[in-house]
Structure formats: structure tokens, C-alpha cells
Amino acid sequence: MIRVSVMYPNSDSAVFDIDYYINRHIPMVKELLGDAIKDGAVDSGIASGVAGEAAPFIAVGHLTFDSVEAFQNSFGPHAEKILGDAPNYTNTQPQIQISEIK
């Protein structure tokens, strides 16, 4: 199993509509990618490991797939639509990491 983490960096100028992300963007992604997605979750950053400092990421979306190939095959055909929705909820450029779940 693999996890695709889409991490949205926090900054003074970062804008992020968590309600839109949770209620519209993620359901759209799940619908488009279908059975390839095994699980999904959203983290909303609230703090860093240092008292008084903001979270390094304003939000993180996690999607679980059987394999990198399953992710790529399901995401590829819908990449333009999924990525094109980003301006509806953020002005940040996400960092993406694919991890093997141990």
C-alpha cells in the first residue's frame, strides 16, 4: 500500500479554504479516481512542534492506493481537472510525497 500526501505550505500570504477542500475537492477526487482510492483523510495544520509557531503546512490531504501504478493510472486521466480546481481553495503550490505504508 502507498500513501499520496499533498502538503500545502503555510505562510503569511497563504490562503486555504478548508471547508471547500473537505466538502467539494476531496469528494470530487474520490469520485474521479473511483475504486483505486482505498482510503482518504485530511489534516488541518494547527501548530508546529515549537510552541507559538504556526504549522508548517496549512493542510495535508492523504490518499491511499494499492500501488504507485494504481495511483498514476487513476490520477493521470483526471489530472487537469483535479489540479485545475486548486485555485478554488488555495493560492499555494503543494508539495507531493508518495510513501510506502509500513
Side-chain angles (χ1 to χ4, degrees):
M1 297 287 281
I2 61 111
R3 179 177 297 122
V4 177
S5 298
V6 184
M7 304 170 287
Y8 297 89
N10 199 359
S11 72
D12 291 339
S13 61
V15 174
F16 198 91
D17 183 342
I18 193 73
D19 291 326
Y20 183 96
Y21 189 69
I22 291 169
N23 296 311
R24 302 211 39 208
H25 183 74
I26 294 297
M28 176 192 71
V29 170
K30 286 181 176 180
E31 182 179 329
L32 290 172
L33 303 188
D35 293 338
I37 291 180
K38 302 305 176 190
D39 194 21
V42 174
D43 298 340
S44 180
I46 58 172
S48 76
V50 177
E53 285 190 10
F57 297 98
I58 198 165
V60 182
H62 302 283
L63 301 173
T64 304
F65 297 85
D66 284 333
S67 65
V68 172
E69 294 77 19
F71 162 66
Q72 291 171 336
N73 291 338
S74 63
F75 182 81
H78 306 288
E80 188 175 327
K81 183 171 185 174
I82 292 168
L83 298 174
D85 191 45
N88 291 317
Y89 61 88
T90 191
N91 65 345
T92 65
Q93 183 68 19
Q95 297 176 22
I96 298 173
Q97 177 169 305
I98 300 175
S99 304
E100 182 177 13
I101 299 171
K102 297 287 187 179

